[in-house]
Amino acid sequence: MYRDIPLEEAVAILMKYTKPIGFDEIDIIDALGRVLNENIITSFSLPPFNRSPLDGYAVIAEDTISASKEQPILLRVNQNIFAGDLPLRPIVSGEAAAIATGAPIPPGANAVIKIEDTQLVEDNVLLFSQLKPGDNFINQGDDVPAGEQILSKGMLITPAVIGLLASLGRKTVKVFKRPKVAALSIGDELVGIDEPRAPGKIYNSNLYAISAQITEAGGVPVPYRNTVDDKNQIAFLLDSCLQENDMVITTGGVSVGKRDYVKESITLSGANTLFWKVNIKPGTPVVCGEKNGRLIVGLSGNPAAAMITFYMLIRPVLQKISGLQQVNLPHVTAIMEEPFTKKSKQRRMMRANVYWKNGYYHAVPSGTQSPGALKSMLQCNALIDIPGGKGPLNIGEEVKVILLSPNYIL
Ligand code: AMP
Ligand code: MG
């Protein structure tokens, strides 16, 4: 078992247990936020034919040489092509075809003049400007040629991916299965939100915050009723949760208190402990076990600490199990907008609100940094990554921040 390891090392250990768990075939309308489980190669070009990008007249560019407002050129209109139609005949020199946006350009034509630069005179059209070959001409395959691998396995399905699938005539798509993740809260002080709260007790909020984070990271949360600080009971639950789910996340009972049993219970459940304590603040006392290739991750019970360690440690792991290739959060440099006077030996992940103004990112701590302060998570869209031993931080100082919000899986 490793102890007090750097965050990156802990993530690397967990990443060894991230085998995806199969695939589903679902309607593309339901696929937003899922991860592609197939490579998509275009079976035909997009657009599938040469098309006009505007309403106007398809012509032969060479026929328009020297056309101007003062000296327009007259061409005979040989057909009207609307979107969805096929051209009835080709264009030969001296002819033009009236054409709508999105309609196929007839053979022979090599440019389209916009309607605003023309005037219809009975069966003829006056052209007031000159064109070059290829003007306003969208070639077949201009967007995507046939045979191109346009989408690949492991991509997050965004609205654009769904649009592309539809433009290829796909009704369904293969996506990675979402892992089932048990959420379990441990603590004698906890009561469920459907129970009366006696003095000295608190509502079990972690269960809900963590379940929501599981959903955000591509998993299916399976919330369990909270359990008391009893090592045998915890061990029993860990074992049964692990049998029914792909991963188990607990909160509470991982530190050095007399009733912090999760470490011991992991062993009692027959799992093998991979590490205890990660070198970040808040949330240091993370414990991690493995049984039959499935992970148990025990997080601190402190609500903000639990959420932060989830983002840094569990989110990439769950996303990987969900099939996602790109699991790293973006890092940017920001300017401190408030001083931070503390200095800690440990690396600190400071909750912050980061915004863009006048060409720079600016970072404001999003409230008290105590590990139990859940309110500080409300405005928190980034974590300031402060290396161990660094501090205090001054206003105007450049800091590295990890942006939390993009790249969601729904
Ligand atoms: P622990 O990690 O068990 O030492 O708990 C640390 C702090 O987090 C204590 O103040 C607990 O009361 C609080 N806490 C533990 N579990 C939860 C939970 N599920 N929801 C809200 N607060 C919790
Ligand atoms: Mg406790």
Side-chain angles (χ1 to χ4, degrees):
M1 175 187 83
Y2 296 97
R3 267 194 74 155
D4 297 301
I5 54 174
L7 174 67
E8 286 71 16
E9 208 170 298
V11 174
I13 292 172
L14 298 182
M15 283 295 184
K16 290 185 193 149
Y17 301 90
T18 51
K19 250 197 11 241
I21 46 176
F23 69 90
D24 296 320
E25 176 129 17
I26 61 172
D27 280 353
I28 62 167
I29 194 80
D30 300 321
L32 183 67
R34 301 293 293 270
V35 180
L36 263 183
N37 190 271
E38 55 176 319
N39 294 322
I40 306 281
I41 297 170
T42 47
S43 53
F44 57 88
S45 303
L46 294 176
F49 45 82
N50 298 337
R51 78 174 170 209
S52 174
L54 41 80
D55 295 310
Y57 292 86
V59 298
I60 297 168
E62 289 76 6
D63 279 355
T64 71
I65 287 173
S66 82
S68 67
K69 272 215 168 67
E70 298 71 34
Q71 284 195 306
I73 276 172
L74 192 72
L75 297 175
R76 193 178 71 79
V77 179
N78 76 348
Q79 61 192 313
N80 241 304
I81 314 167
F82 291 103
D85 283 353
L86 282 180
L88 295 175
R89 52 185 70 87
I91 297 288
V92 294
S93 186
E95 289 179 341
I99 193 163
T101 306
I105 295 177
N110 61 5
V112 176
I113 185 164
K114 62 174 189 272
I115 205 160
E116 293 85 343
D117 291 344
T118 66
Q119 191 187 331
L120 190 63
V121 186
E122 295 177 352
D123 286 346
N124 299 298
V125 62
L126 285 168
L127 272 54
F128 297 108
S129 69
Q130 175 179 324
L131 298 172
K132 293 189 301 302
D135 276 355
N136 304 320
F137 190 109
I138 310 280
N139 279 295
Q140 172 183 14
D142 187 73
D143 190 6
V144 193
E148 180 174 312
Q149 183 173 316
I150 181 74
L151 303 171
S152 32
K153 203 168 172 167
M155 268 177 84
L156 180 68
I157 299 183
T158 59
V161 169
I162 293 177
L164 243 147
L165 289 168
S167 68
L168 292 170
R170 289 289 300 258
K171 190 176 156 354
T172 62
V173 66
K174 274 189 195 166
V175 295
F176 283 91
K177 265 197 195 312
R178 300 166 69 191
K180 270 169 67 185
V181 184
L184 185 62
S185 301
I186 297 159
D188 289 335
E189 74 279 36
L190 303 177
V191 292
I193 54 173
D194 50 356
E195 291 170 333
R197 188 181 61 83
K201 305 281 186 190
I202 59 169
Y203 284 123
N204 174 8
S205 66
N206 285 348
L207 184 69
Y208 299 92
I210 296 292
S211 293
Q213 285 188 298
I214 291 169
T215 306
E216 253 184 18
V220 178
V222 182
Y224 284 77
R225 195 153 263 291
N226 51 289
T227 183
V228 291
D229 294 302
D230 175 296
K231 61 181 165 198
N232 292 315
Q233 199 166 322
I234 298 167
F236 171 79
L237 273 168
L238 290 179
D239 189 41
S240 58
C241 286
L242 212 53
Q243 284 178 38
E244 289 160 24
N245 298 281
D246 300 298
M247 186 174 177
V248 179
I249 297 170
T250 70
T251 64
V254 287
S255 194
V256 291
K258 273 209 171 69
R259 287 191 166 183
D260 286 340
Y261 289 128
V262 176
K263 287 192 304 298
E264 211 176 324
S265 302
I266 285 178
T267 308
L268 279 174
S269 75
N272 158 36
T273 304
L274 299 173
F275 61 80
W276 180 42
K277 289 194 176 173
V278 174
N279 190 11
I280 55 164
K281 204 174 163 160
T284 312
V286 182
V287 60
C288 179
E290 168 274 327
K291 189 175 177 183
N292 301 327
R294 293 179 177 179
L295 292 169
I296 301 170
V297 186
L299 304 176
S300 158
N302 277 303
M307 286 189 76
I308 289 169
T309 40
F310 185 103
Y311 278 130
M312 299 317 300
L313 208 60
I314 299 172
R315 180 184 173 282
V317 170
L318 261 184
Q319 289 189 325
K320 199 87 192 182
I321 301 175
S322 310
L324 199 66
Q325 279 298 315
Q326 181 59 44
V327 299
N328 296 327
L329 288 168
H331 292 195
V332 297
T333 301
I335 296 168
M336 283 296 278
E337 288 299 298
E338 278 177 20
F340 186 68
T341 50
K342 286 191 190 156
K343 172 175 180 166
S344 93
K345 273 214 310 247
Q346 261 180 308
R347 176 177 178 186
R348 184 190 288 274
M349 293 289 167
M350 182 149 83
R351 282 147 266 173
N353 183 263
V354 166
Y355 58 93
W356 179 258
K357 196 177 157 193
N358 299 334
Y360 296 96
Y361 283 109
H362 300 260
V364 185
S366 59
T368 160
Q369 297 293 314
S370 127
L374 193 50
K375 192 171 118 185
S376 62
M377 291 305 292
L378 291 178
Q379 299 299 322
C380 171
N381 62 358
L383 296 170
I384 305 176
D385 186 356
I386 308 170
K390 188 165 168 32
L393 299 175
N394 303 314
I395 294 187
E397 195 163 320
E398 285 194 344
V399 287
K400 180 174 118 183
V401 303
I402 301 164
L403 300 179
L404 294 178
S405 44
N407 198 18
Y408 268 13
I409 292 196
L410 298 171

